[in-house]
Amino acid sequence: MGFPYTRMRRLRQSASMRRLVGQVQLTAADFVYPLFVCPGTQLKVPIDSMAGCFHFSVDRVIEEAKAVAALGIPAVLLFGLPDKKDAVGSEAWSADSAVCRAAGAIKQAVPELVVMTDVCLCAYTDHGHCGLLKDGRVDNDGTLELLAKTAVAHARAGADVVAPSDMMDGRVLWIRRALDEAGLTDTVILSYAAKFASAFYGPFRHAAGSAPGKGDRKSYQMAPDGGTQALREIALDIEEGADMVMVKPALAYLDILHQAKDRFDVPLAAYNVSGEYMMIHAAAQQGLCDLQQTMLETLLAIKRAGADFIITYFAKAAAEIVNR
Ligand code: PBG
């Protein structure tokens, strides 16, 4: 029975009717807020490439963490800048790194906040690759021990969740084993399982000073033109012991997110990355679209596609709106 008996607009006639039949709703509990921490004290330095984002010294990140928790956002994801970089990225696993100190300080000041840490070498190596270089190539197996040490350092410092983002084969297994051997059996692993070699990381690499000096990340991050590898990567990471998995970036990979949701029974994260964030900011800045509406529509799309939670620089702004 089509028109005129069926009228789809009946269910759209008032705001309350539309709310009643709405299916996906954003809440503050859907979000994880990324925070950039750096050496030094009394620093809250705006990041030019990422509107509204800052590098915080450890003493200043606490007030930010409190503000995030007060909005009902359950978790933060820490990224760090090192004091100095070297060929192997040794500050990554130092107990004195900004990330380790921030993890401890935040857990002490805001114990209810879940602290996640990004586990990778790219911000700590002088060549900017996510793994060790051997004869000019990224050495998978040599990198695993370093990632495992980094994850253990973060967990010892207080991180509840370690999130390896390097895309080396076998790193989840290495990290799980190292955590368990260190008695850190409750530390959760969120694997950046399906991470693509994406141009959308541009603003972040500027912020983290982590662009590869030579070459690109295509030998470890996935090519955007295939989904089968992504599902296999996720399956392998779950087998290796990942408690939660991620698809990254989000917007250009909603199909992968949707397939992963259908196929796997572990919590699924989507990373709404820096380029996706800044595209919307740039368009809004030019008056081309409304910032809040575009933000909410985007986050809704990511949730509708299947994300259980969304790592997003919009977390605070979006929580403020959805909490009203
Ligand atoms: C580190 C890492 C990157 C991002 C998160 N962790 C950059 C990269 O892989 O080059 C990107 C996050 C963003 O763009 O918001 N490996």
Side-chain angles (χ1 to χ4, degrees):
M1 279 227 289
F3 181 81
Y5 306 103
T6 303
R7 289 178 181 271
M8 297 303 285
R9 290 183 56 202
R10 274 186 206 121
L11 297 177
R12 300 174 196 152
Q13 62 187 296
S14 70
S16 294
M17 189 72 82
R18 291 190 291 271
R19 273 180 60 218
L20 182 70
V21 301
Q23 293 177 296
V24 180
Q25 240 181 338
L26 292 168
T27 77
D30 293 321
F31 307 135
V32 175
Y33 190 54
L35 287 172
F36 296 90
V37 293
C38 64
T41 54
Q42 285 303 313
L43 296 173
K44 180 178 175 182
V45 184
I47 298 174
D48 338 318
S49 61
M50 295 175 64
C53 297
F54 299 87
H55 285 298
F56 293 96
S57 54
V58 173
D59 53 341
R60 294 293 298 278
V61 82
I62 293 167
E63 66 202 26
E64 186 70 358
K66 285 183 179 160
V68 170
L71 284 165
I73 296 167
V76 292
L77 172 61
L78 302 182
F79 291 96
L81 289 186
D83 241 334
K84 51 184 185 321
K85 303 185 187 228
D86 60 28
V88 297
S90 51
E91 205 173 314
W93 56 88
S94 157
D96 289 329
S97 71
V99 167
C100 283
R101 288 183 298 113
I106 293 172
K107 282 313 287 185
Q108 180 142 37
V110 204
E112 72 274 19
L113 196 61
V114 172
V115 172
M116 305 181 166
T117 58
D118 184 83
V119 173
C120 196
L121 301 182
C122 61
Y124 300 89
T125 51
D126 50 19
H127 46 75
H129 278 289
C130 302
L132 273 183
L133 287 187
K134 198 163 133 191
D135 307 324
R137 296 169 64 103
V138 174
D139 172 23
N140 189 89
D141 297 12
T143 303
L144 298 177
E145 208 60 55
L146 307 183
L147 294 168
K149 278 204 282 195
T150 303
V152 168
H154 292 180
R156 280 208 177 108
D160 302 292
V161 180
V162 290
S165 66
D166 52 282
M167 288 297 281
M168 297 302 127
D169 288 320
R171 91 272 211 216
V172 173
L173 179 61
W174 248 250
I175 289 172
R176 184 71 270 161
R177 239 181 4 214
L179 289 170
D180 287 358
E181 276 165 16
L184 297 158
T185 52
D186 286 341
T187 304
V188 169
I189 299 177
L190 163 60
S191 161
Y192 286 68
K195 178 171 178 181
F196 289 86
S198 171
F200 287 102
Y201 307 149
F204 173 96
R205 287 185 188 168
H206 182 85
S210 66
K214 251 208 311 226
D216 52 42
R217 303 208 199 290
K218 290 179 184 166
S219 80
Y220 39 105
Q221 299 178 351
M222 280 181 297
D225 58 3
T228 312
Q229 281 192 19
L231 297 176
R232 232 178 128 198
E233 282 280 7
I234 295 173
L236 286 167
D237 281 6
I238 294 171
E239 252 175 63
E240 288 180 27
D243 301 285
M244 312 193 281
V245 295
M246 189 197 301
V247 172
K248 175 187 177 188
L251 285 184
Y253 301 90
L254 293 178
D255 56 330
I256 309 289
L257 200 58
H258 188 70
Q259 291 176 63
K261 184 63 199 167
D262 279 349
R263 190 158 330 181
F264 303 108
D265 294 321
V266 300
L268 179 63
Y271 201 138
N272 176 216
V273 301
S274 58
E276 300 172 338
Y277 171 76
M278 283 309 291
M279 270 194 319
I280 292 176
H281 265 283
Q285 184 81 46
Q286 291 188 48
L288 300 176
C289 52
D290 179 80
L291 181 63
Q292 290 192 354
Q293 296 302 321
T294 317
M295 164 182 81
L296 293 175
E297 188 176 333
T298 298
L299 295 171
L300 210 52
I302 297 170
K303 185 167 181 183
R304 201 182 60 234
D308 293 309
F309 61 92
I310 305 169
I311 300 165
T312 178
Y313 307 98
F314 284 126
K316 285 173 66 191
E320 269 166 27
I321 296 171
V322 301
N323 285 342
R324 268 182 213 148

